[in-house]
Amino acid sequence: MPMTIKERYLQAYDEQLRTDAETPSALSVTKLGPLRLATFAGGLGFITYRDLGGALAADMPGLVSAALKHYRADPGIDKVEWKVRMHDASPGLPAALVSHGFAPEEAESIMVGPLEGLCANVPEPDGVSLRKVTAESDVRAMSAMADEAFGEAVDTRMADALLARLSRNDGMELWVAEADGRMVSCGRLEPVHGTDFAGIWGGSTLEAYRGRGIYRALTAARARSALEQGKTLAHSDSSEFSRPILERSGLLKVSTTIPYYWRR
């Protein structure tokens, strides 16, 4: 039987994105069996893979232990994310992660679809302006606003990491929406070199400004930028807040991902 559009999107996601293309901004990447252990600025470790090579449930504790040993040896790492995709064959993995001190966070929808759909019929809300930011003061203000939107204390390390990436000119773009004299929403665009994809990431909007079409307009601006660079497909790991917005623009949920975190 021919594949459905959802199956084709998932195949493209697995084949094009679950490679080195997934971690272009990593400071280092170490191979450990089927795993790719990435280290990012700001003390973050990130574990990903194309597949687990047919590993059995009995293999999972050893795999998790070896990966964690790698990060424990680096005193600069204080948090590690293991990205679990629910369509993978990974028997026993969640239990092995929990037994080694990882804790699951909220599940997210893996969304894939045409970038063009994100741009269609998207008005710019009254009193809102959109722009790409690169200046240090803007990046720090954007990062602080995102922390506020998520109800977290301001962490200057995230701004430091974003500024370091901008200095490497790896293609990442930072976009903000402004209203009433301040930043009220922000997000990243991550064109993936050598693929059809651009990632729509980091979307956050201050609570008082939600429900006004600001996030959708900001997403459209990022999508237009990606189209100008020759990309055709968008991908995003979306919360239940942003998933319906992306679905209305033609993206499909192709799977679910759950981040598991270990903290030192």
Side-chain angles (χ1 to χ4, degrees):
M1 294 290 291
M3 289 192 294
T4 65
I5 186 66
K6 177 178 175 180
E7 289 169 338
R8 290 202 298 272
Y9 284 160
L10 182 59
Q11 182 182 57
Y13 171 88
D14 281 338
E15 292 180 351
Q16 295 189 39
L17 297 179
R18 298 180 70 176
T19 65
D20 288 340
E22 189 173 12
T23 53
S25 63
L27 300 178
S28 66
V29 177
T30 299
K31 299 288 183 65
L32 178 65
L35 305 179
R36 296 176 65 252
L37 310 181
T39 296
F40 289 90
L44 174 65
F46 179 74
I47 301 170
T48 185
Y49 41 87
R50 171 61 180 86
D51 60 57
L52 293 179
L56 303 175
D59 303 322
M60 295 302 176
L63 201 59
V64 174
S65 178
L68 196 52
K69 181 180 179 180
H70 169 82
Y71 288 112
R72 284 185 183 274
D74 183 349
I77 295 292
D78 54 27
K79 181 169 70 172
V80 178
E81 176 186 352
W82 188 303
K83 189 176 179 68
V84 175
R85 279 99 164 182
M86 300 308 290
H87 64 283
D88 286 342
S90 52
L93 178 58
L97 288 169
V98 171
S99 70
H100 284 80
F102 285 81
E105 297 204 347
E106 186 175 347
E108 298 175 318
S109 298
I110 300 174
M111 307 295 293
V112 175
L115 282 160
E116 288 181 346
L118 295 172
C119 306
N121 303 314
V122 183
E124 193 166 303
D126 291 339
V128 176
S129 60
L130 311 172
R131 65 185 176 101
K132 185 168 61 172
V133 298
T134 57
E136 180 176 351
S137 58
D138 284 335
V139 173
R140 292 196 181 281
M142 184 204 78
S143 181
M145 186 233 84
D147 288 335
E148 180 184 350
F150 286 118
E152 300 174 352
V154 173
D155 186 349
T156 59
R157 292 181 305 172
M158 179 55 69
D160 292 341
L162 292 172
L163 288 165
R165 286 197 59 189
L166 287 174
S167 71
R168 293 198 295 272
N169 195 29
D170 64 9
M172 178 192 70
E173 296 179 2
L174 305 176
W175 287 78
V176 300
E178 295 171 311
D180 302 328
R182 67 165 303 182
M183 294 179 185
V184 299
S185 185
C186 67
R188 301 193 318 274
L189 176 69
E190 303 256 8
V192 185
H193 180 70
T195 76
D196 300 319
F197 284 93
I200 303 293
W201 297 107
S204 57
T205 304
L206 294 177
E207 186 173 4
Y209 291 87
R210 294 171 188 167
R212 294 170 48 178
I214 296 174
Y215 173 80
R216 189 180 178 205
L218 193 62
T219 299
R222 289 178 283 170
R224 284 191 291 268
S225 181
L227 285 166
E228 290 170 0
Q229 298 175 56
K231 302 304 179 183
T232 58
L233 292 173
H235 75 103
S236 181
D237 292 349
S238 298
S239 67
E240 284 305 291
F241 173 76
S242 57
R243 178 186 55 78
I245 300 172
L246 297 179
E247 284 180 333
R248 288 195 294 271
S249 298
L251 272 66
L252 297 178
K253 178 180 179 178
V254 298
S255 187
T256 300
T257 181
I258 300 176
Y260 281 73
Y261 282 98
W262 172 87
R263 291 173 169 84
R264 192 180 294 277

